[in-house]
Amino acid sequence: MPTIVVATGNAHKVTEIAAALGAALDSPLAGVRFIAVHELVGAYTDPVEDGASFEDNAAIKARAAQAATGLPALADDSGLVVDALNGAPGIYSARFAGVGHDDAANNAKLLAELEGVTERRARFVSCLVLVGLDALLPGQPDYLAVCGACEGRIAAGPRGSNGFGYDPLFLPDVAPGRSMAELTLAEKTAISHRGAALRQLLTHLNAR
């Protein structure tokens, strides 16, 4: 089966990506299998993400997964950008509370940093980098990068049990009264930063 390896250990991301790219009937990637790199390479070591931007880090991850598997690779680097924190946590979103800490610790640190702050504008940003697709689909680019965003604000406390990361704290503008973690997967994909990036990716692929 044609396969694209996804440079992540997060099963939620693989599910979102496969639903957006592999299930759409008009997608050049319909029928392609998306699988996490850690499922293919048992001893896989994540590369050091020392880029200066979301795209830089996504490219680092995609190239590493491609080198480890010999397959086309897709990587996402995403994070939360909070205006009141001068853009933090930004590219450090996954390790905001320190290396080895979980989502709950990151969320707790974010709330602590925003204690007493009334202006809580923020946005989720996602950059996707797809490398090596030309080996699977001739005529497609070897390197393709797209970015998407979702505007909103930070809640006073966590709400909802869906999603992951900062979803329980993020109140998207386009879903008034609900956090990202209170949306279904379909609702989230339709409005999320990663959903926006995935739609841009499809647009670019369909234009080739």
Side-chain angles (χ1 to χ4, degrees):
M1 177 182 294
T3 299
I4 292 176
V5 62
V6 183
T8 184
N10 189 323
H12 295 285
K13 285 188 179 182
V14 179
T15 298
E16 286 187 28
I17 289 168
L21 298 180
L25 294 178
D26 63 340
S27 170
L29 305 180
V32 171
R33 177 180 65 154
F34 292 85
I35 186 169
V37 63
H38 295 276
E39 291 189 45
L40 292 179
V41 183
Y44 184 76
T45 300
D46 291 320
V48 176
E49 298 175 37
D50 55 1
S53 67
F54 291 117
E55 182 181 337
D56 287 347
N57 285 335
I60 289 169
K61 290 185 282 189
R63 291 296 189 195
Q66 181 189 39
T69 63
L71 295 169
L74 176 65
D76 157 83
D77 197 64
S78 56
L80 182 67
V81 175
V82 181
D83 291 346
L85 300 181
N86 297 315
I91 60 173
Y92 304 105
S93 293
R95 50 192 186 278
F96 191 40
V99 177
H101 286 74
D102 60 9
D103 291 345
N106 287 333
N107 285 333
K109 178 176 174 62
L110 178 62
L111 289 176
E113 294 279 344
L114 290 175
E115 185 173 358
V117 176
T118 56
E119 178 46 63
R120 293 176 167 230
R121 292 299 307 171
R123 66 205 49 83
F124 272 129
V125 176
S126 171
C127 283
L128 294 170
V129 170
L130 177 58
V131 297
L133 185 60
D134 56 330
L136 182 63
L137 297 175
Q140 293 290 353
D142 171 67
Y143 179 96
L144 180 59
V146 295
C147 294
C150 179
E151 295 287 335
R153 60 187 178 86
I154 304 303
R159 296 163 50 176
S161 57
N162 298 328
F164 55 94
Y166 297 95
D167 286 353
L169 292 180
F170 188 77
L171 305 175
D173 290 343
V174 292
R178 291 192 290 172
S179 76
M180 197 74 92
E182 292 176 303
L183 305 179
T184 66
L185 176 58
E187 289 174 324
K188 177 181 174 181
T189 300
I191 69 167
S192 76
H193 52 307
R194 191 171 298 109
L198 287 166
R199 287 188 293 276
Q200 285 194 51
L201 185 62
L202 270 181
T203 297
H204 282 280
L205 294 176
N206 281 323
R208 304 291 297 189

